Amino acid sequence: QVQLVESGGGLVQPGGSLSLSCTASGNIFSIKTMGWYRQAPGLPRALVAVITSGDNTHYGDPAKGRFTISRDNAKNTVYLQMNSLKPEDTAVYYCNAEEADFDADYGSGRSYWGQGTQVTVSS
């Protein structure tokens, strides 16, 4: 069993920056890929960014060039640095952990999700 807790959401003006963090606890050694997804009202969850156990990163198109994902395995934590934020980035951001790697056998093993943290970009 793995538990994920997000922090860092809030209100920011367009063009601003925000950092999210997600800390895993429990059976952390089962985790391979970690990442972030987001869900805006009326839309399904969409990929923001993931990072594999080998530190390979993959970004959804809206995040490319603006967001950076990283992880600190010693702290069991994944981060998302968001720059040049736009109103369309407004969503609930969910931390995700997988027992498979995104660039390998994704979909095998169990998936874990955090409760989500609200990010609002507005002037």
Side-chain angles (χ1 to χ4, degrees):
Q1 184 68 28
V2 173
Q3 297 80 42
L4 304 173
V5 179
E6 305 104 329
S7 64
L11 175 66
V12 64
Q13 294 190 12
S17 298
L18 203 63
S19 296
L20 306 181
S21 64
C22 171
T23 298
S25 61
N27 189 20
I28 58 173
F29 295 106
S30 69
I31 297 172
K32 293 187 177 178
T33 290
M34 297 187 70
W36 295 91
Y37 293 73
R38 69 188 186 188
Q39 187 169 28
L43 297 175
R45 290 190 188 186
L47 170 70
V48 178
V50 296
I51 183 166
T52 71
S53 60
D55 285 346
N56 294 317
T57 58
H58 304 266
Y59 294 90
D61 285 339
K64 291 178 180 177
R66 299 188 298 125
F67 296 0
T68 302
I69 189 170
S70 61
R71 68 193 295 173
D72 185 340
N73 291 328
K75 297 181 178 179
N76 305 314
T77 299
V78 63
Y79 304 93
L80 185 70
Q81 176 66 46
M82 302 185 291
N83 299 322
S84 302
L85 283 162
K86 305 173 182 179
E88 51 263 46
D89 295 318
T90 296
V92 178
Y93 284 69
Y94 294 92
C95 182
N96 167 251
E98 298 284 339
E99 293 183 345
D101 265 323
F102 188 84
D103 56 359
D105 191 21
Y106 216 49
S108 65
R110 289 172 288 185
S111 300
Y112 303 94
W113 294 92
Q115 291 291 103
T117 184
Q118 177 70 48
V119 172
T120 302
V121 184
S122 176
S123 60

